[in-house]
Amino acid sequence: MIERIAAFCIRRRDWVVASLALLTLLLSWFALHIEVRTVFEDMLPSRHEYVQTHEKFKDTFGGSNMVTIMFEVPEGEIFQPAVLEKVRTVTLGLREVSAVNPYQITSLASKKLKEVRASTDGIETRPLMWPDLPANAEELAALRESVLRNPLVYGPFVSKDLQATLITVDFIDREVDYAKVFTEIRDLVAKVDDGTVEIRVVGDPILYGWVNHYVPETVNLVAAALGLTLAMLFVLLRTWRGVLLPLLAGVVSAIWALGICRLLGIHFEPLVIVVAMLITSRAVSHSVQIVNRFDDELELLPPGDGVARHAARVALADLFRPGMLGVIADAACMAVVALSPIPMLQKLTVLSVVWVSTLTISAVILTPVLLSYIRRPHGTVHPLNLAPLLRRVLDLGVWMATSRFRFAVIGCSVVVVALSGLYAFNLKIGDANPGSPILWPESTYNRDSAAINARFQGVDRMFIVLGEDGKEGLVKSNDVLLAMNRFQRFIEAQPEVGGTVSIADVLPVVNSTLREGNPRYLELGDSQKVNGSLMAILDSVSEPGDIDRFSDNQYANGAITMMFRDRQGETIRTAVARVKEFVAQNPLPEGRWQLAGGLIGVMAAVNEVILSSQIEAVALALLVLVVICTVVYRSTVAGMLFMVPVIISNTLTFSFMAWKGIGMNINTVPVAALGIGLGVDYAFYIADRIKEEIAAGHSAEQAIATALHSAGMGVVVTASVLIFSTLLWWVSSLRFQAEMGLLMAIWLGISAMSALFVMPSVIYVFRPAFIFGPRERAAPAVLHPAMQGA
């Protein structure tokens, strides 16, 4: 069947090329119109308990797209007219920012921060600094005293040393455009930034805005990596076909994948460009293997008409099976990621599977068909010949496989896999370091985040809800208020949590105010009657929206908001475990505890999904790989054999991630899944060529030598080219891209070494029947005369 496919493609090459060209032109229009953006809601596992709580209450208690802006004076205090004017200008300006939730803007200059006052005329609440700024020194002093008296402001919104103050603002998740919000907030801050005050801005809209900000740099890195790839191919292969055809294969696969995804309504996530580069490298690899096989066939043929067509047909026929097997393995291993309930991973899976599948056309079919058109295939375009140097590497592989050293290779591989596999258990789920792992520690965003967390209780938030729909006034009950108070005392004792706030913090302020500010009464009442009265007083002097941070309109559900100084996976897991421990030991007589909203709640849900599904996904991907190899080669031994390079490359790479502190999160999971297929591609070409040579009647030694000097040459060329080109990503301003580029280089290097040195040794020692046949497998191993005594 393969021979018939190869013969048909070469015989009907004009029709094949014309059809593919037409489809490529058509899909290129759609590819150029694909959307490049980050959609926050796609990152959420919508069926998870925490996400459902978040979605239900985010408009009341605050969503996960909160932005925090800190104004910090180098010396003195913030109670200066010039500083407060800047705070007021930015607070008012935030109302005009795209997708802003105007009811979630909180600062000294907003109406939401108030002071409760009691006098002979009654009780009232007044905004601290709204609508006007303090007009003189006396009013500034009064504002300062009001802040110091208010525990809901002093600490949470004004630093303890009075040198910094915060503005927090939330956005509507379904409408937020990170690039637009990032630009508008930076422009707003720039208007008041005269250098006298340090202004720091953090939050997910800002974080992903930085990602979009670096898109031009990313495009330049793609261009640089492409240029280096072409230059190295030109030097190593010494022909224009060795440069242009792999480039064409990569371009065609990208056009087809992006065009098809545009038709399916799938957008392109800027961070997954690393996955795109990884897949494109597979196109280059498959194409180079075919060009290399074409060149090998030419060496056996004299110049003449029809030589190119014959060599192209042989290359297509011989490499169709390993090429298709590699593509199917990559696609199948990536497809298991779709089992995740996270929409972003599901959409990325579709994009990746489509992209990988297009390699069957762009590399496996198109490359040999275009090779058949070459009129003068013999000859090179420059005199520099590095082939003898590369052959020395391949000779080493032949010697290692066919000498007694092969046992040392297998033994060392087992030891390395065991040690790296054990160390890989240190791999962390979620972010592994403080700050955002997407950016470098010295980036503006991470420095701003560290500065805010050093002065305040924490930038990132999670809220827990107490209550139940339909039970109006439940939050006013003594049971709920006391439960809030106990929970806050318990959770604030944990080092992971910087602070908390709830309605149970507001009532003590009212209680103290009613008693002329006596600090002895800065606590909840000692009975439900007292607490109910305090709540009624607070309700009577509040305006619509004042209580939104703490309770819904019916007082059926109240929130406790926790502040976190980092979003590391271990921090989040420990905090959630503490929350669950308290909830289990403190059930509510009425209502229930509902976990968990806010950014940290959402991240906790994502981390739990990844933790529960990652081992299953890796195991399933390995199982899929075994099944595919078993079906193609009709041997269960084949499935087990091709596990060898996969296990080696994955355990070493995962242990490297653990060593470097690279966590397994929503961004790294797709790279890990694709790496499983990546780890076996090179081995397919080596093993299939050995099988081909054995079938032709050659000895095991001859088959291994021929396979390594033919398919192995393609492995050396593609691996060296792609390793150096992916290492260019280390200079990226996005830490995530730099680390993923390094991971890709490591994966490629380990996969290549496994295919060149380990797989031939394993094949030579165990003589699997699907390669050698039953007779050869039963026969004792006989060394080549040249190898005897080695």
Side-chain angles (χ1 to χ4, degrees):
M1 182 185 68
I2 293 175
E3 289 288 348
R4 288 197 297 270
I5 292 173
F8 173 81
C9 290
I10 302 301
R11 186 173 65 253
R12 302 291 185 183
R13 59 183 182 174
D14 294 340
W15 181 85
V16 172
V17 171
S19 300
L20 296 182
L22 182 61
L23 284 172
T24 303
L25 286 174
L26 179 63
L27 289 172
S28 64
W29 188 90
F30 292 100
L32 291 173
H33 291 81
I34 193 168
E35 290 185 272
V36 180
R37 61 192 177 97
T38 299
V39 178
F40 179 80
E41 291 180 334
D42 284 350
M43 303 181 194
L44 309 182
S46 57
R47 297 181 182 177
H48 196 283
E49 172 194 355
Y50 305 165
V51 175
Q52 290 178 342
T53 299
H54 170 81
E55 291 294 323
K56 182 178 179 181
F57 296 105
K58 65 183 180 182
D59 292 333
T60 303
F61 303 136
S64 48
N65 280 308
M66 182 173 288
V67 170
T68 301
I69 305 172
M70 181 176 78
F71 292 79
E72 179 184 21
V73 294
E75 55 186 38
E77 298 179 353
I78 61 164
F79 299 103
Q80 307 171 34
V83 177
L84 297 178
E85 174 62 34
K86 290 177 173 43
V87 175
R88 182 174 181 270
T89 300
V90 173
T91 301
L92 296 177
L94 286 171
R95 299 177 181 178
E96 308 301 323
V97 175
S98 302
V100 72
N101 184 340
Y103 301 105
Q104 295 287 350
I105 301 174
T106 308
S107 78
L108 284 177
S110 73
K111 200 176 180 181
K112 294 182 75 69
L113 291 187
K114 297 187 176 185
E115 179 183 23
V116 181
R117 298 183 181 181
S119 67
T120 55
D121 295 328
I123 298 175
E124 63 175 343
T125 59
R126 292 182 184 177
L128 291 173
M129 197 181 76
W130 185 92
D132 300 316
L133 294 172
N136 49 49
E138 184 179 341
E139 291 186 6
L140 279 173
L143 173 62
R144 183 180 186 275
E145 291 302 316
S146 297
V147 168
L148 291 173
R149 287 195 302 266
N150 194 332
L152 299 179
V153 178
Y154 181 50
F157 285 91
V158 175
S159 63
K160 293 293 186 179
D161 59 7
L162 302 180
Q163 286 190 304
T165 185
L166 295 183
I167 300 175
T168 62
V169 55
D170 203 0
F171 293 85
I172 301 171
D173 289 350
R174 58 185 176 275
E175 297 179 9
V176 66
D177 182 329
Y178 291 134
K180 185 179 293 186
V181 169
F182 174 76
T183 301
E184 292 176 356
I185 290 182
R186 290 192 76 194
D187 290 344
L188 178 61
V189 169
K191 291 179 181 179
V192 300
D193 190 2
D194 54 9
T196 60
V197 177
E198 187 73 41
I199 305 176
R200 303 182 184 275
V201 188
V202 297
D204 268 20
I206 305 301
L207 173 62
Y208 290 103
W210 278 113
V211 173
N212 285 284
H213 176 75
Y214 288 120
V215 165
E217 178 193 280
T218 301
V219 172
N220 290 335
L221 284 174
V222 171
L226 180 60
L228 180 60
T229 298
L230 298 180
M232 291 187 67
L233 288 176
F234 180 75
V235 171
L236 293 173
L237 297 181
R238 306 173 68 201
T239 60
W240 287 114
R241 60 178 174 267
V243 176
L244 299 178
L245 291 183
L247 170 64
L248 183 63
V251 171
V252 169
S253 65
I255 290 174
W256 279 50
L258 295 177
I260 292 173
C261 287
R262 177 67 180 87
L263 289 171
L264 295 175
I266 297 175
H267 63 271
F268 190 83
E269 163 66 48
L271 284 177
V272 304
I273 195 169
V274 177
V275 176
M277 288 296 296
L278 188 57
I279 298 173
T280 302
S281 72
R282 310 315 306 143
V284 172
S285 179
H286 290 304
S287 185
V288 168
Q289 284 285 354
I290 291 174
V291 171
N292 192 68
R293 186 70 177 88
F294 176 83
D295 291 342
D296 288 345
E297 194 64 25
L298 284 179
E299 293 180 2
L300 306 176
L301 301 172
D305 295 336
V307 171
R309 295 182 64 171
H310 175 77
R313 183 184 60 78
V314 172
L316 175 56
D318 288 352
L319 298 187
F320 185 85
R321 178 169 56 192
M324 292 295 291
L325 185 56
V327 170
I328 294 171
D330 287 340
C333 291
M334 191 65 199
V336 302
V337 179
L339 298 177
S340 169
I342 301 175
M344 174 186 167
L345 294 182
Q346 294 171 346
K347 292 179 180 180
L348 178 57
T349 298
V350 175
L351 172 64
S352 301
V353 170
V354 169
W355 204 319
V356 169
S357 301
T358 61
L359 303 187
T360 59
I361 304 298
S362 65
V364 180
I365 300 295
L366 185 59
T367 297
V369 169
L370 292 178
L371 285 170
S372 69
Y373 283 100
I374 299 177
R375 295 184 178 180
R376 296 183 179 86
H378 293 85
T380 57
V381 293
H382 66 79
L384 180 61
N385 185 10
L386 298 179
L389 180 62
L390 299 182
R391 290 194 186 99
R392 291 185 181 180
V393 177
L394 300 173
D395 288 338
L396 176 63
V398 174
W399 174 80
M400 291 174 68
T402 55
S403 70
R404 294 188 181 277
F405 193 76
R406 62 185 179 272
F407 298 109
V409 171
I410 296 174
C412 289
S413 299
V414 172
V415 173
V416 168
V417 167
L419 294 178
S420 61
L422 289 173
Y423 191 79
F425 283 104
N426 295 318
L427 181 64
K428 295 182 178 179
I429 303 298
D431 297 347
N433 298 292
S436 170
I438 295 176
L439 300 170
W440 293 103
E442 64 273 13
S443 67
T444 300
Y445 182 90
N446 279 335
R447 283 190 287 109
D448 286 355
S449 179
I452 296 175
N453 285 325
R455 286 192 175 274
F456 292 92
Q457 297 171 329
V459 170
D460 300 316
R461 305 184 178 198
M462 176 171 72
F463 61 78
I464 308 297
V465 179
L466 288 77
E468 193 165 348
D469 291 344
K471 295 191 176 182
E472 186 174 340
L474 183 59
V475 174
K476 298 180 181 181
S477 69
N478 216 41
D479 290 330
V480 170
L481 291 172
L482 291 176
M484 285 182 173
N485 191 264
R486 288 196 306 272
F487 175 79
Q488 289 179 257
R489 289 200 303 269
F490 170 80
I491 205 67
E492 286 178 356
Q494 314 306 323
E496 297 81 20
V497 178
T500 64
V501 64
S502 75
I503 192 69
D505 296 314
V506 180
L507 296 185
V509 176
V510 178
N511 195 19
S512 175
T513 302
L514 290 173
R515 292 166 173 81
E516 299 179 348
N518 190 331
R520 290 182 57 189
Y521 293 95
L522 198 61
E523 60 184 8
L524 288 173
D526 54 7
S527 68
Q528 181 158 336
K529 182 178 180 180
V530 173
N531 287 325
S533 299
L534 293 175
M535 185 74 79
I537 292 171
L538 178 66
D539 201 19
S540 67
V541 297
S542 298
E543 297 181 12
D546 285 354
I547 309 298
D548 282 356
R549 309 191 271 155
F550 309 113
S551 174
D552 58 17
N553 293 333
Q554 290 76 37
Y555 290 97
N557 295 283
I560 302 170
T561 301
M562 295 174 281
M563 275 66 79
F564 290 74
R565 291 193 174 95
D566 70 70
R567 53 174 75 178
Q568 296 181 72
E570 194 63 33
T571 297
I572 297 174
R573 276 193 301 278
T574 303
V576 170
R578 300 290 190 193
V579 171
K580 289 182 176 179
E581 174 189 342
F582 182 89
V583 169
Q585 296 175 0
N586 295 270
L588 295 173
E590 279 190 280
R592 58 194 176 94
W593 299 85
Q594 301 175 61
L595 280 66
L599 177 63
I600 297 297
V602 166
M603 293 186 69
V606 172
N607 290 348
E608 287 186 8
V609 167
I610 292 175
L611 180 62
S612 63
S613 63
Q614 181 58 28
I615 296 177
E616 296 175 3
V618 171
L620 183 57
L622 293 174
L623 177 62
V624 168
L625 182 62
V626 169
V627 171
I628 291 172
C629 295
T630 299
V631 171
V632 171
Y633 288 104
R634 301 178 183 177
S635 168
T636 55
V637 175
M640 302 305 296
L641 177 69
F642 288 114
M643 288 277 284
V644 172
V646 174
I647 293 174
I648 294 174
S649 61
N650 278 268
T651 55
L652 283 173
T653 306
F654 286 156
S655 62
F656 176 82
M657 291 175 66
W659 176 51
K660 295 297 292 183
I662 303 173
M664 186 66 73
N665 54 44
I666 191 172
N667 297 312
T668 56
V669 163
V671 181
L674 194 56
I676 294 174
L678 176 67
V680 75
D681 278 3
Y682 292 140
F684 287 147
Y685 285 104
I686 300 293
D688 210 74
R689 188 60 193 271
I690 294 175
K691 175 179 173 64
E692 180 186 332
E693 293 298 315
I694 293 294
H698 297 136
S699 67
E701 295 82 7
Q702 292 173 326
I704 290 174
T706 302
L708 286 179
H709 283 90
S710 178
M713 181 64 77
V715 171
V716 171
V717 170
T718 56
S720 58
V721 168
L722 295 174
I723 286 172
F724 280 104
S725 62
T726 52
L727 284 176
L728 279 179
W729 288 87
W730 190 249
V731 302
S732 174
S733 297
L734 296 176
R735 179 183 181 180
F736 169 74
Q737 289 186 346
E739 291 180 337
M740 291 304 101
L742 180 60
L743 279 181
M744 287 164 56
I746 292 172
W747 238 311
L748 289 163
I750 296 172
S751 300
M753 287 190 290
S754 299
L756 293 174
F757 303 124
V758 180
M759 284 296 288
S761 298
V762 172
I763 291 172
Y764 191 83
V765 170
F766 294 101
R767 306 292 178 102
F770 78 94
I771 291 179
F772 288 90
R775 290 185 180 179
E776 182 64 26
R777 184 175 183 275
V782 179
L783 289 178
H784 191 276
M787 300 295 176
Q788 292 181 359

